[in-house]
Amino acid sequence: MTPADLSSTVARAVRRAVEDGELPAAADVPERVVIERTRPGGAGDYATPVAFQVARAARRPPAEVARVIAEGLAAEPGIERVEITGAGFLNFTLAPRAAADLVREVLSRGPRYGYADDAVEAEPFCWTPTAEFRRRAVHEAVVRILRSQGRGDGGAPPVVAPVARRDGDVVAAYGRDAAGWAVLAVPARETPQFGAGLLVQDESSEFFLVRYAHARAKALGRGAARLGFGPEPGETAAPPETAARPETPAPAETPAPAETPAPTRPAAPTRPPAPGAPELLRLLAEYPLVLEAAAHRRAPEQLVRFLVRVADELLDFQHCVLPKGDEKPSAAHRARLALAEAAGTVLAGGLALLGIDAPDCL
């Protein structure tokens, strides 16, 4: 189960509880449930305050509502454990998902990975020539993210602080993509910051970092093609360097005493995952949840921050993707390439929702 699946699963559990009479008919049944990553020190992997929302209309204590919802989720496939903390927060531990399945899903869905099943394409935007650039950029990004989650454009648009007068025409000064990144990187109510660092061509610029990471994912694919292999989701760990030593039996003419334990085969060496792979996989699994939260809060800056995290992890991970020296391409290399391409796919999809180009070369 993915975090996005968890949102709809919890909503169904609330609906069933109302239909079965475990919660009053007046209870508010949300269409979507906000799921967030558990904060450090919290219980489980993910948490939701949905019981508080339902409790208001149901006129029941949040802890009681949480208990009803938790009982309805006890046997749900993909959920390993449900806990109630505080006054009624639901905390979930999800069953581990095979890395290959996640990577395969990302690659098969492409830039639309993370979109809701009822997602719709945003209509072309029409603006008057005098519309302020930041207001346009924020509104368009919010609408794209909302549409990706199957939501209309309704609701009040966020209040947007304009670009400071001292910065002048930021599109002319920095280019549309860089200016768009700067105005979307901070909450809409805050004034964006501009400076020479925005256009620096190194990883000190987050705008460069994210687009460069996408370009690196593309470059890894081209490098692998030259070496004669392609992506194939699977196990990213390298095989053990040494095989387990075979058991050496005692000589037949001198049997071991009864109290002496039989020799045991040494445990096979463990296969540590490729550096950075677990964190990169966790981020890929969280991406649908990030889009859901950004849509719920009408906050494209949350997507910006997430893309920076993905880019950081991908740039650390890239060094183990291609074979080195006389090394031959292995199943692990193919799996790592698939993971890198999946991360690049998420970067491209996220940048597209922000209205920013994702170059193949940089």
Side-chain angles (χ1 to χ4, degrees):
M1 176 176 293
T2 67
D5 294 334
L6 180 60
S7 173
S8 56
T9 300
V10 175
R12 286 197 302 271
V14 176
R15 193 174 302 113
R16 284 197 306 268
V18 172
E19 293 170 352
D20 295 344
E22 297 180 80
L23 291 174
D28 180 21
V29 181
E31 290 186 12
R32 285 184 170 89
V33 173
V34 175
I35 302 290
E36 296 181 327
R37 187 79 185 176
T38 302
R39 293 178 182 177
D45 301 319
Y46 299 95
T48 178
V50 68
F52 295 88
Q53 177 184 346
V54 176
R56 283 195 295 270
R59 297 187 177 181
R60 298 269 189 90
E64 182 181 330
V65 173
R67 179 186 57 76
V68 171
I69 298 172
E71 290 175 353
L73 293 168
E76 194 70 40
I79 298 179
E80 204 168 79
R81 187 168 63 255
V82 184
E83 301 172 75
I84 301 171
T85 59
F89 291 95
L90 284 163
N91 296 262
F92 307 93
T93 300
L94 301 185
R97 185 184 184 191
D101 291 343
L102 172 61
V103 172
R104 194 172 290 111
E105 180 186 355
V106 177
L107 295 177
S108 65
R109 297 196 64 180
R112 291 178 67 87
Y113 168 65
Y115 283 29
D117 293 336
D118 55 350
V120 292
E121 296 295 337
E123 298 292 334
F125 297 100
C126 297
W127 296 89
T128 62
T130 57
E132 199 268 330
F133 170 71
R134 192 189 187 201
R135 183 166 64 89
R136 263 202 330 269
V138 171
H139 176 73
E140 290 179 5
V142 167
V143 169
R144 288 191 202 95
I145 294 170
L146 285 170
R147 292 281 181 113
S148 78
Q149 300 306 296
R151 304 185 186 185
D153 307 340
V159 177
V160 180
V163 172
R165 288 186 178 180
R166 66 175 179 273
D167 292 318
D169 185 345
V170 293
V171 174
Y174 299 96
R176 179 168 295 275
D177 282 340
W181 177 272
V183 301
L184 295 171
V186 297
R189 290 177 178 271
E190 296 181 12
T191 301
Q193 301 298 312
F194 290 87
L198 181 61
L199 298 180
V200 169
Q201 298 291 292
D202 64 37
E203 295 175 23
S204 65
S205 165
E206 292 183 344
F207 170 63
F208 174 84
L209 175 84
V210 171
R211 297 167 84 234
Y212 176 64
H214 174 265
R216 285 301 304 151
K218 292 293 186 180
L220 290 171
R222 294 191 295 269
R226 288 193 293 270
L227 295 173
F229 75 99
E232 184 178 329
E235 174 59 62
T236 61
E241 292 185 4
T242 57
R245 288 181 297 176
E247 177 181 333
T248 304
E253 64 275 15
T254 55
E259 66 273 16
T260 302
T264 57
R265 185 188 302 270
T270 57
R271 299 171 62 182
E279 180 63 15
L280 202 50
L281 287 164
R282 186 180 70 80
L283 290 172
L284 295 186
E286 282 188 13
Y287 180 58
L289 188 60
V290 170
L291 293 184
E292 170 74 20
H296 178 74
R297 295 183 173 87
R298 289 172 165 75
E301 72 275 5
Q302 294 191 354
L303 177 55
V304 170
R305 290 197 296 268
F306 176 81
L307 295 180
V308 172
R309 291 166 59 201
V310 174
D312 271 331
E313 292 299 330
L314 176 55
L315 290 175
D316 285 344
F317 176 73
Q318 65 168 325
H319 304 293
C320 69
V321 172
L322 299 180
K324 296 180 175 65
D326 296 333
E327 201 176 5
K328 300 295 183 184
S330 66
H333 290 114
R334 292 190 288 273
R336 294 171 193 169
L337 178 61
L339 176 53
E341 291 195 355
T345 297
V346 165
L347 291 175
L351 286 170
L353 288 173
L354 297 174
I356 296 173
D357 180 49
D360 289 354
C361 300
L362 195 62

